Structures are given as C-alpha cells and as structure tokens.
Amino acid sequence: MVFEKLETITEIEVQYTTCSCLAIHAGKSAAYSIVDQSIIKIGGVPVIPGSSLKGALRSIIESILSESGVDVCIPEASIPKQIKQRRNVEEYARDLGRLPPCNQIKGDVCPVCKLFGAASLSGRAVFLDARPESIIVPIKRTHVAIRRDTNAQSDGSLMELEAVDKETFYYFPKLINI
Ligand SMILES: [Zn+2]
C-alpha cells in the first residue's frame, strides 16, 4: 500500500440556500416518531450529509466533463444490478459514452475518481455535513398515493413527511488535498 505525501490542505467554505423544500430522509422512522419519514438530523439539527453533497457534485462534474470530451468512468455504484449480473458493464458504459469503472490496480483512474475516489481509491475531496446557519424547525408535508385505476387516494396511503423549508441557509466547509 502506498501513501502519498500530504502537502497542502485547502479549505473552501460554501453557503447554500434551499430554493425549494429539501428532504433528505433518514429511512424508516422509529416506531415512536410522529412522522412517517423524518429528515436526517445530527444532535437534533437537520443536516445535509456530506455524502449527499459529494454525490450530487460528482454527478454534475461527470456530466460536464463527459460532454466536454473528457474520458470519465461510470461509477461502479451507479450501475444497475441487472447489468452487473449479466456482466455487460463495458457495453453499458460504452452506450453512455463513458469508460468502465476505474480500477486502481490496473492504474486506470479518471479525473473524477482522482478527486472524488472510487471503490478501491480514496479521493482527495472531503465533504463535511452542511449545517444550518440558524436554528430551523422542519416543516411537515402530507402526501397520499393515488390509485392508477380510479385516480382516487389509495387506502392507507396517507403519509406525513418532514422537510426543510425553502430559503434555508446552509454552509459547509469542504477540504481538498492538492
Ligand atoms: Zn473513474
């Protein structure tokens, strides 16, 4: 295993404003919860997980570079299971105009994987969780599912979801090792 020398750490602080309701759910709520799906919180504070920010930014950068003619791979995690089972990953990647997933062992690492990492490679960018700039109280939204045959509410489908309202300010520092 080889460890590169860490020479510089650059910290960039960014402020985000939600343009609409934001809901990054934590999965199934606890049995005692009054909402069906609660948002992710740390210490009771609604946060945007660093992994969500990293994934969103990675996806955008992949698209921009790919459309600009730069060879970038399709990440292993984004390939549907059926494709992997049929072992036609290379054909799937080629159809999307991408390289197959980067393989550090073979030495093939695209610029996106160098920055964000891959299954067997640590990336250079670290994204911390974004925290709200002030105390915020999540809003609750009620949803129902509509039956496709009658266009009426499906029985037992009333759900209450938590979200963060629009125009909420978040900030997060991200660290990049250059
Ligand atoms: Zn790659």
Side-chain angles (χ1 to χ4, degrees), residues 58 72-73 101-102 109-110 112-113:
R58 177 183 182 130
V72 294
C73 76
C102 287
V109 181
C110 76
V112 176
C113 287

